[in-house]
Amino acid sequence: MKNEQMVRQRLLTAALDLFVRKGYAATTVREIVAAAGVSKPTLYYYFTNKEGIYLEMMTRTFALFQGIVDQISDSHGPARERIIHFATMIFDSVLENIEVVRLIYAIFFGPPQGTPHFPHDHYFTTMLAVIANMAQEGMDAGEFRKVEVDDVAWTIVSSMNTIMEEQICHVPPRADRARLMSMLNLYLDGIAVGKRT
Amino acid sequence: MKNEQMVRQRLLTAALDLFVRKGYAATTVREIVAAAGVSKPTLYYYFTNKEGIYLEMMTRTFALFQGIVDQISDSHGPARERIIHFATMIFDSVLENIEVVRLIYAIFFGPPQGTPHFPHDHYFTTMLAVIANMAQEGMDAGEFRKVEVDDVAWTIVSSMNTIMEEQICHVPPRADRARLMSMLNLYLDGIAVGKRT
């Protein structure tokens, strides 16, 4: 059982590396098994085919994200702290899974690569909804001014999105976790009730 | 002469459509000339090869962008109005050139596609510098509070970037020009001196 998990993980790691370096379309099953040091039937046994590896990768990654969303949805406290906490957790998770994030962006923005359908847009849609929800709670609680909640959600998700993109596109990134926190804190100061420095 | 320009434009249009639909790597010179209704030697005469068409496309697009930057750099007036004006012009230019913007994102985020080098990152770097400059002028003029200028530049460029991405990724876009203006106005309210609603 332990061995099974190791073999699965070796195949996933090898495939991810190839998908990122060469592109999904250009990667063959032969290259994946060679890099993982296993036989073709082993790959077929665990994942059926290249599509199966890709979908497992995407499903696992989305589950990690969903775990963060569930955690924040169950949390209590000031909206400001919860928003900052959510953004921090997402950012840290992106850094920990930077190669799969790179692949998701390549699939999402790149040319058609023959990948099976996966609803990558759910990340963005869910983040918008989570932030909008917290922003609305902050307004209802008198923590934020009564402003257009969609403006708040889009601006915060835009900052998260762009700073994540910077981690995959620029070496070294010109904006990091500290910059994102500083951007969000300044933004939340701007919509806070009464606060002004 | 007029005819020359028309032929060049037909080749550029046909190539852009193919690069976006099939990807740059998968597009052949044969497909481009067939779509443009010209002969292979005509393409070679005007652009040398596929790389030449791509580079001309990229150079023209960057020149449009640089034109907007020059226009805003020569402008005067309140920083707030200039920032909004810049974002509007960039957004409108993106909509007018949506297919080439789609290609740039596909090249920038996508898997290696064998394109000749073009410094796509200059768009982002230039936008950051232009916004930071206007934000600093706004602070010096007492229009904005003295906050961290890089936070302001990154947040505004993040909003512009993400709303542009929405135009190429989501049909219909869930956030449009009006949303971007509303996001930026709310943000600029938040850093304005004295203003509070």
Side-chain angles (χ1 to χ4, degrees):
Chain A
M1 191 58 179
K2 191 93 192 282
N3 188 49
E4 262 193 43
Q5 281 171 12
M6 274 174 56
V7 171
R8 286 177 76 90
Q9 193 51 55
R10 267 204 345 245
L11 279 162
L12 285 164
T13 305
L16 177 57
D17 176 59
L18 285 159
F19 292 165
V20 167
R21 276 193 300 114
K22 303 190 55 177
Y24 177 84
T27 297
T28 62
V29 163
R30 178 198 291 268
E31 289 170 314
I32 298 171
V33 297
V38 304
S39 68
K40 266 195 186 182
T42 306
L43 183 148
Y44 297 140
Y45 174 73
Y46 287 118
F47 297 105
T48 311
N49 49 30
K50 185 170 82 164
E51 286 74 15
I53 292 207
Y54 170 79
L55 285 174
E56 169 107 3
M57 227 175 253
M58 293 302 125
T59 307
R60 283 187 184 200
T61 308
F62 196 82
L64 286 177
F65 171 75
Q66 193 59 52
I68 296 174
V69 169
D70 292 345
Q71 204 178 319
I72 211 72
S73 303
D74 293 341
S75 71
H76 298 281
R80 183 193 187 105
E81 282 172 26
R82 294 172 69 216
I83 289 171
I84 293 286
H85 189 212
F86 179 64
T88 313
M89 284 194 294
I90 295 291
F91 182 85
D92 290 346
S93 181
V94 162
L95 275 196
E96 276 165 36
N97 300 279
I98 192 79
E99 289 307 301
V100 76
V101 173
R102 203 184 296 280
L103 176 62
I104 292 170
Y105 271 93
I107 300 291
F108 193 67
F109 286 107
Q113 285 160 75
T115 47
H117 177 71
F118 190 87
H120 297 295
D121 197 47
H122 278 202
Y123 286 102
F124 198 87
T125 311
T126 305
M127 285 198 289
L128 274 180
V130 169
I131 298 282
N133 197 43
M134 290 191 282
Q136 188 62 58
E137 286 171 11
M139 287 182 218
D140 294 345
E143 198 183 330
F144 300 142
R145 291 183 285 133
K146 301 246 182 267
V147 294
E148 173 59 43
V149 71
D150 287 341
D151 286 344
V152 176
W154 275 93
T155 305
I156 291 175
V157 174
S158 293
S159 293
M160 294 168 66
N161 176 49
T162 301
I163 304 303
M164 288 185 232
E165 286 177 10
E166 179 73 7
Q167 310 311 304
I168 59 174
C169 290
H170 213 271
V171 183
R174 294 157 297 186
D176 58 7
R177 189 180 197 272
R179 171 66 61 205
L180 177 59
M181 293 306 115
S182 170
M183 288 161 69
L184 294 181
N185 273 306
L186 177 58
Y187 184 70
L188 295 169
D189 280 350
I191 63 164
V193 164
K195 197 159 181 175
R196 184 59 104 207
T197 36
Chain B
M1 190 60 180
K2 193 88 193 284
N3 187 49
E4 261 194 44
Q5 281 171 14
M6 274 174 58
V7 172
R8 286 178 76 91
Q9 193 52 55
R10 266 198 353 240
L11 280 161
L12 285 164
T13 305
L16 177 57
D17 176 60
L18 285 159
F19 292 165
V20 167
R21 277 193 298 116
K22 304 190 54 176
Y24 177 84
T27 297
T28 63
V29 163
R30 178 198 292 268
E31 290 170 313
I32 298 170
V33 298
V38 304
S39 67
K40 267 196 186 180
T42 307
L43 183 148
Y44 297 140
Y45 173 73
Y46 287 117
F47 298 106
T48 311
N49 49 30
K50 186 170 83 164
E51 286 75 14
I53 291 208
Y54 170 80
L55 285 174
E56 168 106 6
M57 227 175 252
M58 292 303 125
T59 307
R60 283 187 183 199
T61 307
F62 197 82
L64 285 176
F65 171 75
Q66 193 60 52
I68 296 175
V69 169
D70 292 345
Q71 204 178 321
I72 211 73
S73 304
D74 292 342
S75 72
H76 299 280
R80 184 193 187 106
E81 282 172 27
R82 293 173 69 216
I83 289 171
I84 294 285
H85 189 211
F86 179 63
T88 313
M89 283 194 295
I90 295 291
F91 181 86
D92 290 345
S93 181
V94 162
L95 275 196
E96 277 165 36
N97 299 279
I98 192 79
E99 290 306 302
V100 74
V101 173
R102 202 185 296 280
L103 176 62
I104 291 171
Y105 271 94
I107 300 292
F108 193 68
F109 286 107
Q113 286 160 75
T115 46
H117 177 71
F118 190 87
H120 298 294
D121 197 47
H122 277 202
Y123 286 102
F124 198 87
T125 311
T126 304
M127 284 197 292
L128 275 179
V130 169
I131 299 281
N133 197 44
M134 290 191 282
Q136 188 62 57
E137 286 171 11
M139 287 181 217
D140 294 345
E143 200 184 329
F144 301 141
R145 291 183 286 132
K146 303 248 182 263
V147 295
E148 174 59 45
V149 71
D150 287 341
D151 286 343
V152 176
W154 275 94
T155 305
I156 291 174
V157 174
S158 293
S159 293
M160 292 168 66
N161 176 49
T162 301
I163 304 304
M164 286 184 234
E165 285 176 12
E166 178 72 8
Q167 311 311 305
I168 59 173
C169 290
H170 212 272
V171 181
R174 295 157 296 186
D176 57 6
R177 190 181 197 272
R179 171 66 61 205
L180 178 59
M181 293 305 114
S182 172
M183 289 161 68
L184 294 181
N185 274 305
L186 177 57
Y187 184 69
L188 295 169
D189 280 350
I191 62 165
V193 165
K195 196 156 183 176
R196 184 60 101 208
T197 35

